[in-house]
Amino acid sequence: MESLNPATGDVIDTFDEDDESAVDEKLQRATDTYDEWHRQPIEERQRLISNAADVLRENKREYAETMTAEMGKPIESAVSEVEKCAWVCDYYAEHAAEFLQDEHIGTEPDVESYVSYEPLGPVLAVMPWNFPFWQVFRFAAPNLTAGNVGLLKHASNVPGCAMAIQEVFEEAGYPDGAFTTLLVGSDKMEDVIADDRLAAVTLTGSEPAGRAVAETAGSHLKKTVLELGGSDPFVVLPDADIEDAAKTGARARCINSGQSCIAAKRFVVHDDVYDEFMDEFAAEMESLTVGDPMDEDTDIGPQAREDLMNDLHEQVEESVDAGATVELGGEPLDRDGPYYPPTVLTEIPEDSPAAREELFGPVASVFRVSDVEEAIRRANDTTYGLGASVWTQDKRRAKEVAREIEAGMVFVNELVKSDPRLPFGGVKDSGYGRELSEHGIHEFVNEKTTWVSDVSHSEGGVE
């Protein structure tokens, strides 16, 4: 398994893939570790996740450079990603005991009845390359602290990140087997998911990958959480602060070099402010610096792989051939590495890729609408339902529009973002289940009902 620098094409390192016996050994070690780990007091599990936060902060530059070298993320963004990972560890170190305490429910006078939240066992996380630390830690922090153990199958182009994350937990003092990286290809996942020792699976990735994982897990009656693709609308209404919307919109489209499921991808702009927004938005997009991801001044680095950039450009070309207009960008940059410039498309035909597919790169699709109802229809005219951003200074209208949008998250006058304090996830083809917050830590636990009576009751009952 090779680790390649997308900016230079150089081989960073090579890793031996785990063979069948190595995978079996890691699964067994995780199972054995779980037997002891889930009996540890919650205070000990909280102490260790707090230690992990310390390890992340102490080594944040090193981890950031590993990310940037392997997948091209601008270094400033990579440092912020490590800091956010430390934040999610801090969050569960502080709140996990509260979230997992027994919930007492009043039933009969002589009965103590309650719900306890108990771990399930080894949980497999299949994770993508675009936020190679954050997407792992938003799984690991709540689930390890809940008493589960984690197995990571990371994307094959970021093995260095995968090993570094395992080292974070080792340095934090976790027992061997509490968090384990499997260096394997996707073709091995069906057997791993089917293994009786595995309790559950979570995946962040593409819709086809999600369907495959859900099908295998479902056939073995294993719980899954899926966070899949997105084609998030960014709705600009007539009374929006256009300057703020345009500036934030450019950042929302191009964060992580445009490679984010929750990036703003379809800009739905009311006719009354369309021209003004377009002028400012195009200027903001054009002002972004494309360059060496290790340079602190770079806003957009290379796409993570050459084939990914080629796929993106093919979508742009097909959209233009169908009738879309290129307002900015639209061609790979003439330099070494898979660099794609900030691109803006308008006059987009209904059935073109820019309207129907997720464009995973710095390409914005802009649509003009005549009223709020059309804006809502356009926002919902997608198979995806991850996030949405709405821009208006009318709070009442904002709440009304937010309720009508089919998405797992709606942010008003802000870009869509993940936050440890809030549940994260989507609907429709963007998946199901939630990560983060109290909701996230409850996904992979047994919500066990317990009834303790002072006296015996001989009466029968029905389900």
Side-chain angles (χ1 to χ4, degrees):
M1 189 175 291
E2 283 191 336
S3 172
L4 294 174
N5 186 326
T8 64
D10 295 338
V11 176
I12 302 168
D13 204 350
T14 57
F15 299 81
D16 292 332
E17 289 197 35
D18 290 332
D19 59 18
E20 186 175 339
S21 64
V23 171
D24 181 73
E25 189 273 330
K26 289 181 176 182
L27 271 167
Q28 188 59 48
R29 186 166 70 244
T31 302
D32 294 342
T33 299
Y34 172 74
D35 289 342
E36 296 296 328
W37 172 247
H38 80 280
R39 295 185 173 89
Q40 291 293 318
I42 183 63
E43 293 80 11
E44 173 65 4
R45 300 200 300 265
Q46 288 177 298
R47 182 185 71 82
L48 289 178
I49 200 64
S50 180
N51 288 353
D54 293 339
V55 173
L56 286 162
R57 291 192 180 97
E58 289 166 5
N59 301 282
K60 67 180 180 181
R61 184 72 189 191
E62 174 190 342
Y63 298 143
E65 289 180 354
T66 298
M67 280 189 273
T68 297
E70 282 200 315
M71 54 72 60
K73 183 187 302 289
I75 188 64
E76 184 179 356
S77 174
V79 171
S80 296
E81 183 168 333
V82 180
E83 291 170 343
K84 192 169 185 177
C85 293
W87 179 23
V88 77
C89 292
D90 288 339
Y91 180 77
Y92 285 104
E94 180 179 356
H95 295 288
E98 170 195 347
F99 295 157
L100 296 169
Q101 65 184 340
D102 294 348
E103 180 185 353
H104 289 265
I105 301 172
T107 51
E108 303 295 331
D110 57 353
V111 167
E112 181 185 5
S113 47
Y114 57 92
V115 175
S116 59
Y117 298 97
E118 302 176 9
L120 297 180
V123 181
L124 173 68
V126 182
M127 292 288 120
W129 48 263
N130 56 330
F131 290 92
F133 267 63
W134 169 242
Q135 284 163 321
V136 176
F137 274 91
R138 76 184 190 200
F139 151 76
N143 283 290
L144 295 185
T145 313
N148 295 309
V149 297
L151 293 136
L152 170 65
K153 187 280 182 232
H154 218 325
S156 296
N157 60 327
V158 289
C161 291
M163 297 308 299
I165 292 168
Q166 179 174 304
E167 290 166 6
V168 169
F169 291 108
E170 291 170 352
E171 290 188 31
Y174 280 79
D176 186 31
F179 185 91
T180 306
T181 286
L182 303 176
L183 288 178
V184 294
S186 298
D187 59 320
K188 301 292 198 309
M189 283 302 95
E190 185 171 355
D191 289 342
V192 174
I193 294 169
D195 194 289
D196 290 341
R197 291 168 291 187
L198 193 75
V201 188
T202 182
L203 175 139
T204 298
S206 68
E207 179 194 338
R211 290 182 186 277
V213 164
E215 181 178 0
T216 302
S219 69
H220 294 274
L221 298 180
K222 295 182 180 182
K223 175 70 181 290
T224 53
V225 169
L226 304 178
E227 192 270 283
L228 308 178
S231 187
D232 287 8
F234 188 100
V235 180
V236 183
L237 299 180
D239 62 342
D241 181 328
I242 299 303
E243 182 179 355
D244 190 17
K247 186 171 184 177
T248 305
R251 185 160 61 95
R253 174 56 282 200
C254 294
I255 193 168
N256 201 40
S257 304
Q259 301 164 122
S260 171
C261 295
I262 55 171
K265 297 187 175 84
R266 295 176 301 123
F267 291 77
V268 180
V269 185
H270 195 285
D271 185 64
D272 290 353
V273 291
Y274 181 88
D275 291 337
E276 181 185 358
F277 176 81
M278 276 298 302
D279 287 345
E280 297 207 23
F281 179 62
E284 290 288 346
M285 290 282 281
E286 191 170 20
S287 71
L288 297 173
T289 300
V290 182
D292 180 355
M294 287 293 185
D295 189 329
E296 300 283 352
D297 294 327
T298 291
D299 299 307
I300 298 176
Q303 301 299 282
R305 300 196 311 262
E306 186 82 29
D307 63 304
L308 297 172
M309 187 195 72
N310 292 338
D311 290 344
L312 175 67
H313 185 52
E314 183 177 333
Q315 290 173 303
V316 171
E317 287 187 311
E318 287 183 15
S319 299
V320 172
D321 289 343
T325 299
V326 178
E327 304 287 350
L328 180 72
E331 292 287 343
L333 296 179
D334 186 15
R335 62 175 73 173
D336 292 337
Y339 286 91
Y340 208 83
T343 296
V344 178
L345 304 178
T346 60
E347 305 295 334
I348 298 164
E350 293 287 340
D351 293 328
S352 66
R356 292 293 168 201
E357 300 174 8
E358 179 179 25
L359 272 60
F360 213 62
V363 180
S365 302
V366 186
F367 301 87
R368 184 196 297 260
V369 295
S370 59
D371 54 37
V372 176
E373 289 71 25
E374 186 183 355
I376 294 169
R377 287 195 301 273
R378 172 64 70 178
N380 291 336
D381 187 20
T382 175
T383 60
Y384 295 107
L386 191 52
S389 183
V390 178
W391 290 76
T392 173
Q393 298 182 68
D394 184 335
K395 187 174 288 188
R396 179 190 59 80
R397 174 184 281 179
K399 292 179 178 180
E400 291 174 351
V401 172
R403 287 191 180 277
E404 294 296 322
I405 290 179
E406 299 164 352
M409 303 166 285
V410 179
F411 284 68
V412 177
N413 299 327
E414 179 60 283
L415 54 78
V416 179
K417 55 188 176 181
S418 53
D419 183 316
R421 300 165 295 188
L422 297 171
F424 182 93
V427 295
K428 297 162 59 172
D429 286 353
S430 290
Y432 51 75
R434 293 296 180 264
E435 298 177 288
L436 302 174
S437 77
E438 182 175 2
H439 298 74
I441 203 171
H442 285 169
E443 285 287 1
F444 292 121
V445 295
N446 175 15
E447 297 179 338
K448 181 188 289 183
T449 295
T450 302
W451 174 290
V452 182
S453 178
D454 292 337
V455 295
S456 63
H457 294 271
S458 59
E459 294 90 344
V462 295
E463 287 188 358

